[in-house]
């Protein structure tokens, strides 16, 4: 933006600058702050008076120009130059949200592939339900670990020789509970723990698959260092007792059928998320925009602060975390820039999709969302939570409801023809 002040506004700015100088510096023959402008100008010179007025003139002129042009900056403005003092002309660079062009998104198609529920998956789920009612028995006498035992261990997971979890140097590995049940642990770890005794420390190597849920270990060799601290025998109830233990009004087969329905719904939810995310990825790839650096830098800073909050739960400050990594704050931010840019692009793209599809949240939908959330509360607690929703969490609930509405609409776009938005 290039801004030029009219003469009257410029002179008013000089008047205010003169009063400030009169307060700062005594002028012979005048009480503090009472010297007239012509004396200030004669004493300090017109150029010095203009310099004193410049910062205030620029701030007010920029503020008025932004309001007049309806420009909403997304970051700090950069003062470029003062082109001329008389007339008073200057330039500023204003970071604004980019123009986003998402292309023909209605031509994008992503299939919804819902996997069938395997009987093995259902049985594992039933086993987990049964496990909720396990009883632990102390061993009558020390013995080697066997199938079904529960082990109290200190577990360190090493990738490329470094611990997977972030902790202070020389801090011990965290304590964990492991169920020595086939299928619940990595196969190599399960086999390596069979036969151990309390007080043993074992190291087990395992090759992680390329599709492992944890990105840090995909396709890598991992070393599990396990110190066995304690051992108990797990005693499971009979299957026939399970419905009563679960306070389920029905037979074991009916509980199994209910579990099947819940698992099938979960599989559908997962497939829908996969389809939606794939559609968003394709949408971002075909979208054109020029993302301002300040947006990416601000988001990288947000990501770093989020990391700091996560480590704060374990009593580790952000500064300690960076020191452990051997990074300065600037270096850490630089490593986060690619992820920050990816997320900023997704956000900008989805905002434009919301606009083009005219997806908004009505007051009735917001109230329905609050009522849905309140179902988990009763009586006086329900009233307190309702007040909290209205006074402090209304915006957060609205964002969540709008996000869910958008994702449902994306699923429709991805899998079927839809009518153009009005």
């Amino acid at each position: 933006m290039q801004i030029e002040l009219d003469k009257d506004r410029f002179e008013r700015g000089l008047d205010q600058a003169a009063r400030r100088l009169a307060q700062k510096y005594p002028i012979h023959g005048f009480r503090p702050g009472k010297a007239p402008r012509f004396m200030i100008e004669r004493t300090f010179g017109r150029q010095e008076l203009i310099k004193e007025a410049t910062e205030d003139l620029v701030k007010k002129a920029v503020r008025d120009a932004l309001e007049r042009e309806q420009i909403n900056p997304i970051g700090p403005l950069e003062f470029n130059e003062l082109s001329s003092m008389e007339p008073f002309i200057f330039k500023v660079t204003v970071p604004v949200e980019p123009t986003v062009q998402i292309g023909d998104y209605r031509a994008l198609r992503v299939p919804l592939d819902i996997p069938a529920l395997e009987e093995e998956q259902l049985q594992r789920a039933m086993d987990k339900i049964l496990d909720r009612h396990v009883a632990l028995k102390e061993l009558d006498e020390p013995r080697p670990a066997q199938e079904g035992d529960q082990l109290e261990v200190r577990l360190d997971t090493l990738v490329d020789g470094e611990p997977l979890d972030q902790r202070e140097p020389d801090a011990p590995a965290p304590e964990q509970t492991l169920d020595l049940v086939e299928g619940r642990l990595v196969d190599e770890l399960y086999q390596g723990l069979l036969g151990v005794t309390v007080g043993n420390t074992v190291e087990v190597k395992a090759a992680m698959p390329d599709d492992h849920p944890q990105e840090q270990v995909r396709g890598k060799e991992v070393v599990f260092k396990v110190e066995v601290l304690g051992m108990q025998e797990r005693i499971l109830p009979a299957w026939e007792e399970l419905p009563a233990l679960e306070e389920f009004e029905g037979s074991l087969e009916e509980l199994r059928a209910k579990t099947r329905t819940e698992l099938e719904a979960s599989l559908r939810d997962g497939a829908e998320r996969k389809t939606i995310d794939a559609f968003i990825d394709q949408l971002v790839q075909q979208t054109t925009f020029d993302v301002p650096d300040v947006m990416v830098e601000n988001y990288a800073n947000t990501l770093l602060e989020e990391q700091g909050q996560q480590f704060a739960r374990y009593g580790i400050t952000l500064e300690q975390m960076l020191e452990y990594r051997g990074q300065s704050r600037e270096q850490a931010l630089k490593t986060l820039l690619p992820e920050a840019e990816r997320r900023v692009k997704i956000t900008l793209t989805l905002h434009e999709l919301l606009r083009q599809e005219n997806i908004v949240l009505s007051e009735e939908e917001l109230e329905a969302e609050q009522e849905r959330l309140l179902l988990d509360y009763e009586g006086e607690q329900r009233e307190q939570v309702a007040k909290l929703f209205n006074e402090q969490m209304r915006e957060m609930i609205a964002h969540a409801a709008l996000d869910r509405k958008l994702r449902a609409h994306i699923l429709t776009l991805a899998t079927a023809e839809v009518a153009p938005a009005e």
Side-chain angles (χ1 to χ4, degrees):
M1 298 178 64
Q2 177 170 290
I3 301 174
E4 178 178 351
L5 295 188
D6 61 60
K7 186 173 179 58
D8 288 343
R9 183 166 186 176
F10 177 62
E11 291 298 331
R12 289 196 302 273
L14 295 185
D15 289 340
Q16 293 172 358
R19 286 195 290 272
R20 289 196 298 272
L21 288 174
Q23 291 285 350
K24 289 182 188 177
Y25 306 103
I27 305 298
H28 182 68
F30 298 93
R31 295 196 305 273
K34 298 300 183 180
R37 174 181 155 182
F38 78 89
M39 285 299 300
I40 298 295
E41 196 166 329
R42 180 185 299 175
T43 302
F44 296 99
R46 185 170 179 81
Q47 296 301 313
E48 192 64 32
L49 185 59
I50 293 175
K51 287 182 181 179
E52 173 68 25
T54 294
E55 182 178 354
D56 195 47
L57 286 172
V58 167
K59 284 183 178 179
K60 292 179 179 177
V62 168
R63 180 192 62 203
D64 293 346
L66 293 176
E67 290 179 359
R68 182 172 60 253
E69 301 297 329
Q70 296 184 336
I71 296 174
N72 183 29
I74 60 171
L77 279 62
E78 179 183 348
F79 181 82
N80 298 121
E81 60 176 335
L82 182 61
S83 307
S84 168
M85 284 191 176
E86 296 189 65
F88 194 84
I89 303 173
F90 64 93
K91 292 181 180 179
V92 291
T93 298
V94 185
V96 297
E97 286 196 4
T99 301
V100 180
Q101 297 179 337
I102 58 178
D104 184 13
Y105 58 88
R106 286 176 172 267
L108 297 177
R109 288 292 177 269
V110 181
L112 177 61
D113 184 15
I114 304 174
L117 178 65
E118 303 290 340
E119 287 300 316
E120 182 181 350
Q121 293 173 286
L122 176 58
Q123 187 56 50
R124 284 202 301 268
M126 293 297 293
D127 288 342
K128 286 184 179 180
I129 297 175
L130 191 67
D131 273 353
R132 291 205 288 257
H133 306 284
V134 67
L136 297 175
K137 178 186 176 185
E138 297 294 336
L139 300 180
D140 295 330
E141 57 184 31
R143 62 164 174 76
Q146 61 189 29
E147 162 72 24
D149 285 340
Q150 184 176 97
L151 306 180
E152 295 294 329
V153 303
R154 197 181 294 280
L155 174 64
D156 208 357
T157 305
L158 306 175
V159 181
D160 298 328
E162 295 294 331
L164 187 61
D165 67 308
Q166 297 283 352
R167 60 179 189 269
E168 292 188 18
D170 301 326
E175 294 186 13
Q176 297 185 34
T177 299
L178 300 180
D179 290 336
L180 197 52
V181 177
E182 189 172 8
R184 295 192 189 175
L185 302 175
V186 175
D187 288 342
E188 294 91 335
L189 181 59
Y190 169 76
Q191 294 294 337
L193 291 176
L194 287 173
V196 299
T197 56
V198 175
N200 280 169
T201 297
V202 296
E203 289 191 10
V204 179
K205 292 182 179 180
M208 296 293 103
D210 294 333
D211 60 349
H212 194 278
Q214 282 188 282
E215 185 177 354
Q216 303 98 311
V217 301
R218 288 175 189 166
K220 294 187 177 182
E221 183 180 74
V222 171
V223 176
F224 297 105
K225 187 176 181 179
V226 189
E227 178 187 358
V228 182
L229 306 175
M231 185 186 310
Q232 292 176 303
E233 183 180 353
R234 298 167 68 252
I235 302 175
L236 293 170
W239 281 105
E240 293 73 18
E241 300 174 11
L242 187 57
L245 292 171
E246 284 289 298
E247 298 181 356
F248 176 75
E249 296 182 1
S251 65
L252 178 62
E253 283 309 309
E254 288 171 329
L255 177 59
R256 188 180 183 88
K258 174 177 176 288
T259 304
R260 177 189 294 276
T261 300
E262 292 171 350
L263 289 175
E264 288 174 342
S266 178
L267 287 173
R268 181 177 184 87
D269 289 343
E272 289 180 352
R273 284 195 300 271
K274 187 175 180 180
T275 296
I276 292 167
D277 291 344
F279 181 91
I280 292 174
D281 287 342
Q282 292 184 30
L283 183 60
V284 172
Q285 289 173 12
Q286 74 171 30
T287 300
T288 57
F289 31 43
D290 180 17
V291 181
D293 291 341
V294 67
M295 289 189 74
V296 178
E297 291 164 1
N298 288 344
Y299 205 102
N301 190 68
T302 299
L303 292 177
L304 185 61
E305 292 299 328
E306 288 177 354
Q307 289 184 6
Q309 291 170 8
Q310 292 172 359
F311 283 102
R313 299 172 186 169
Y314 304 100
I316 303 174
T317 66
L318 179 58
E319 290 72 23
Q320 289 171 328
M321 179 190 73
L322 293 176
E323 184 179 355
Y324 175 76
R325 292 178 178 175
Q327 289 181 319
S328 65
R329 185 181 181 91
E330 290 70 25
Q331 290 171 328
L333 288 171
K334 187 175 181 180
T335 63
L336 291 170
L337 288 177
E339 175 63 14
E341 182 177 7
R342 185 186 73 85
R343 296 201 194 183
V344 167
K345 286 183 175 180
I346 290 174
T347 300
L348 291 171
T349 302
L350 294 181
H351 280 178
E352 181 62 14
L353 182 63
L354 279 168
R355 189 189 68 80
Q356 292 203 22
E357 290 294 300
N358 193 29
I359 300 173
V360 295
L361 192 71
S362 68
E363 188 67 29
E364 291 76 14
E365 288 172 319
L366 176 55
E367 291 177 0
E369 176 70 6
Q370 290 179 322
E371 286 298 321
R372 185 183 70 81
L373 295 173
L374 287 172
L375 292 176
D376 294 333
Y377 305 92
E378 295 181 358
E380 185 177 338
Q381 188 182 30
R382 181 184 177 94
E383 294 178 5
Q384 294 173 346
V385 173
K387 184 178 181 182
L388 181 66
F389 283 174
N390 285 317
E391 294 179 356
Q392 300 181 30
M393 300 179 64
R394 183 178 177 84
E395 184 175 353
M396 184 183 71
I397 294 171
H399 277 298
L402 183 60
D403 179 71
R404 188 165 58 253
K405 186 174 182 179
L406 171 62
R407 293 180 73 85
H409 190 77
I410 288 175
L411 185 63
T412 304
L413 287 172
T415 58
E417 294 288 344
V418 294
E422 296 180 0

